[in-house]
Amino acid sequence: MSAVKTVTDATFEDEVLKSDKPVLVDFWADWCGPCKQMAPVLDKFAEEHGEKIQVVKINTDQNPETPRAYDVLALPTFKVYKGGEVVKDIRGARPKRKLEEDLAEFL
């Protein structure tokens, strides 16, 4: 079972905006090749760092309201939410090491 949780437009507020720890949100779609490449990277990242930062994913095709509300225009896009606000924005696929560097302040 993956350490990455799936959220929807309906659960985004409770799972992400009201979380008491930082949340890394993966905005993805089934047709996005780089998104699929990132799935195992995010699984491993979540297994190793889940106690400090929660990792969730939201399918942008099935849940269009949330990506629209947060100006997600390209996939994959990763946003870190803390206290209900976006505090970090990352676009594009990357290796786990680079993702850890980008998110070092939350680890």
Side-chain angles (χ1 to χ4, degrees):
M1 183 173 159
S2 174
V4 178
K5 187 174 187 174
T6 298
V7 297
T8 65
D9 285 341
T11 62
F12 191 84
E13 182 177 356
D14 286 339
E15 298 287 341
V16 176
L17 302 181
K18 293 181 178 177
S19 177
D20 55 359
K21 66 180 173 181
V23 182
L24 173 64
V25 179
D26 171 20
F27 291 89
W28 72 284
D30 285 325
W31 50 263
C32 171
C35 297
K36 290 180 181 182
Q37 290 175 336
M38 286 302 297
V41 172
L42 288 172
D43 284 341
K44 187 73 172 160
F45 179 86
E47 286 173 21
E48 294 177 7
H49 301 290
E51 72 284 347
K52 295 180 184 130
I53 184 168
Q54 182 180 354
V55 182
V56 303
K57 62 182 182 176
I58 185 167
N59 184 310
T60 58
D61 288 337
Q62 296 170 0
N63 301 280
E65 293 174 25
T66 302
R68 191 177 311 118
Y70 291 97
D71 297 321
V72 175
L73 303 173
L75 297 179
T77 290
F78 308 95
K79 292 182 183 279
V80 177
Y81 293 78
K82 189 173 181 181
E85 300 292 325
V86 176
V87 294
K88 185 96 175 181
D89 197 343
I90 301 168
R91 291 187 181 97
R94 60 205 58 237
K96 184 173 145 290
R97 177 187 44 75
K98 177 67 173 144
L99 186 64
E100 288 171 334
E101 288 174 14
D102 292 340
L103 299 173
E105 64 196 278
F106 306 105
L107 305 180

